[in-house]
């Protein structure tokens, strides 16, 4: 997003999104977050901080098959709330979030549109394909063919010391949560109270949005309705939010390249799907792909 100067110092508002490419609640929050980003476009700095949900030093499960079965059931429970697509079959629980986080951060060096499309593919690796991008090879393979992406540069940048240090800084930042999330009492299936990690640290629940100006901040953790985020923006910067009108189906698919059922309901208006959309069915509703993306998308080749 474009940063717009502010009399008190740039930007007018910073939004920090604590997330992970493989987090199911973050995947389920994409309809709301896409709508919010559209309503704030050009007036804020939106920064993603990768919190590393599955860390390299986490102990491996004693029974991987049982762990996978439990986690697949857990994803189904979350999907009952978010209505987000989920894979027909989960191959395993992700071993590490580091590879996908490094690739997502490296993609930011190629511009915000490329970064959004790469992160989307990484999320779809687990929630559409059931094959989490938890190795370097799988993360790079899952984003192959993203229009406009320079894959050689992405691989080099993802392996660089600078990108690794950046994600390491994100991980540390996510483990310094603001006091307001130490205990959260909200009517939500995922209210977003801070989580204790296996290593004994405390981190933000994912996703969490932190809205920050030079003079104050508001935090909205967990899975929340759109109005919770707009209220936080309005408290900090009254009048900054400009609700974007829904797009017609074809322009929406041109812009977002991949849309789920919950997303198209809040982002589009008109007869759905557009004629050129490529449908991919999951265990909980379809994902529609732009035909240019579908040519190389792993889900469309199954």
């Amino acid at each position: 997003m474009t940063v717009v100067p502010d009399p008190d110092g740039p930007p007018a508002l910073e939004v920090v999104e604590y997330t992970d490419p493989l987090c199911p609640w973050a995947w389920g929050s994409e309809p709301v977050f896409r709508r919010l980003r559209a309503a704030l476009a050009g007036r804020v700095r939106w920064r993603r901080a990768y919190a590393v949900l599955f860390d390299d030093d986490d102990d491996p499960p004693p029974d991987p098959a049982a762990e996978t079965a439990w986690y697949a059931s857990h994803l189904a429970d979350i999907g009952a709330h978010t209505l987000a697509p989920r894979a027909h079959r989960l191959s395993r629980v992700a071993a590490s979030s580091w590879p996908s986080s490094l690739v997502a951060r490296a993609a930011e060096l190629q511009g915000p549109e490329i970064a959004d499309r790469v992160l989307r593919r990484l999320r779809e690796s687990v929630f559409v394909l059931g094959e989490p991008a938890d190795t370097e090879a799988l993360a790079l393979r899952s984003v192959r063919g993203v229009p406009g992406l320079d894959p050689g540069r992405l691989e080099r940048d993802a392996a660089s010391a600078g990108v690794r240090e950046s994600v390491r800084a994100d991980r540390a930042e996510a483990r310094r949560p603001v006091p307001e999330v130490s205990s959260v009492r909200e009517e939500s299936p995922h209210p977003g109270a801070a989580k204790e990690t296996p290593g004994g640290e405390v981190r933000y629940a994912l996703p969490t949005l932190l809205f920050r100006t030079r003079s104050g901040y508001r935090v909205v953790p967990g899975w929340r309705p759109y109005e919770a985020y707009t209220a936080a923006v309005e408290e900090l910067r009254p009048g900054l939010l400009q609700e974007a009108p829904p797009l017609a189906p074809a322009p929406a698919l041109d812009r977002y390249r991949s849309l789920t059922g919950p997303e198209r309901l809040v982002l589009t208006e008109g007869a759905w799907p557009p004629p050129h959309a490529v449908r991919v069915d999951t265990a909980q509703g379809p994902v529609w792909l732009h035909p240019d993306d579908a040519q190389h998308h792993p889900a469309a080749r199954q």
Side-chain angles (χ1 to χ4, degrees), residues 171-293:
R171 180 191 177 283
E173 180 183 341
R175 283 155 179 77
R176 297 190 298 269
V178 296
E180 288 84 349
V181 298
S182 60
S183 62
V184 180
R185 295 177 179 83
E186 293 289 340
E187 292 296 325
S188 168
H190 178 48
K195 303 284 187 181
E196 185 173 348
T197 71
E201 299 171 300
V202 176
R203 64 159 173 80
Y204 283 110
L206 306 180
T208 288
L209 293 192
L210 181 67
F211 301 88
R212 186 162 56 194
T213 67
R214 292 187 65 184
S215 58
Y217 66 84
R218 297 291 185 275
V219 63
V220 185
W223 188 66
R224 301 298 180 90
Y226 180 72
E227 292 74 20
Y229 302 102
T230 59
V233 172
E234 187 65 19
E235 288 178 14
L236 287 171
R237 291 290 182 184
L240 183 68
L241 199 79
Q242 296 180 16
E243 189 69 28
L247 296 172
L253 196 61
D254 288 344
R255 174 176 178 179
Y256 291 108
R257 319 300 288 190
S258 169
L259 284 163
T260 67
E263 288 172 333
R264 69 100 174 170
L265 290 175
V266 300
L267 297 172
T268 77
E269 188 174 75
W272 187 268
H276 62 301
V278 177
R279 176 176 175 140
V280 175
D281 287 308
T282 77
Q284 185 163 275
V287 176
W288 288 275
L289 304 177
H290 190 281
D292 292 347
D293 288 62

Side-chain angles (χ1 to χ4, degrees), residues 120-179:
R120 178 67 173 213
R121 284 278 195 93
L122 293 166
R123 295 198 194 282
E124 290 171 343
S125 74
V126 59
F127 302 115
V128 176
L129 294 167
E131 185 73 24
D134 59 355
T135 69
E136 178 185 3
L138 286 173
L140 292 172
R141 187 186 310 161
S142 69
V143 304
R144 189 179 299 161
V146 167
L149 176 69
D150 181 337
R153 179 185 177 188
L154 182 73
E155 184 173 0
R156 292 190 300 273
D157 288 339
S160 70
V163 164
R164 177 166 288 274
E165 182 55 38
S166 176
V167 173
R168 187 178 291 116
D170 283 357
R171 180 191 177 283
E173 180 183 341
R175 283 155 179 77
R176 297 190 298 269
V178 296

Side-chain angles (χ1 to χ4, degrees), residues 25-165:
W25 288 108
W27 169 242
S29 296
E30 275 298 279
V32 166
F33 287 0
R34 280 181 157 183
R35 180 182 175 187
L36 185 64
R37 285 194 291 269
L40 292 172
R43 293 176 298 284
V44 304
R45 178 173 65 191
W46 189 299
R47 174 172 67 88
R48 292 187 177 106
Y50 294 105
V52 186
L53 178 61
F54 300 99
D55 217 337
D56 284 345
D57 58 3
D58 292 348
D59 293 331
D63 185 341
E67 182 78 0
T68 300
W70 172 84
Y71 195 64
S73 176
H74 179 57
L75 295 183
D77 290 342
I78 293 173
H81 296 291
T82 67
L83 304 181
R86 58 184 176 84
H88 288 288
R89 177 184 174 275
L90 182 67
S91 67
R92 65 188 179 283
V93 179
S96 173
S97 292
W98 277 96
S100 58
S101 298
L102 292 169
V103 167
R105 175 51 44 79
E108 293 176 5
L109 301 175
Q110 298 190 40
E113 287 190 6
I114 296 295
D116 285 350
R117 293 176 186 179
V118 164
L119 177 58
R120 178 67 173 213
R121 284 278 195 93
L122 293 166
R123 295 198 194 282
E124 290 171 343
S125 74
V126 59
F127 302 115
V128 176
L129 294 167
E131 185 73 24
D134 59 355
T135 69
E136 178 185 3
L138 286 173
L140 292 172
R141 187 186 310 161
S142 69
V143 304
R144 189 179 299 161
V146 167
L149 176 69
D150 181 337
R153 179 185 177 188
L154 182 73
E155 184 173 0
R156 292 190 300 273
D157 288 339
S160 70
V163 164
R164 177 166 288 274
E165 182 55 38

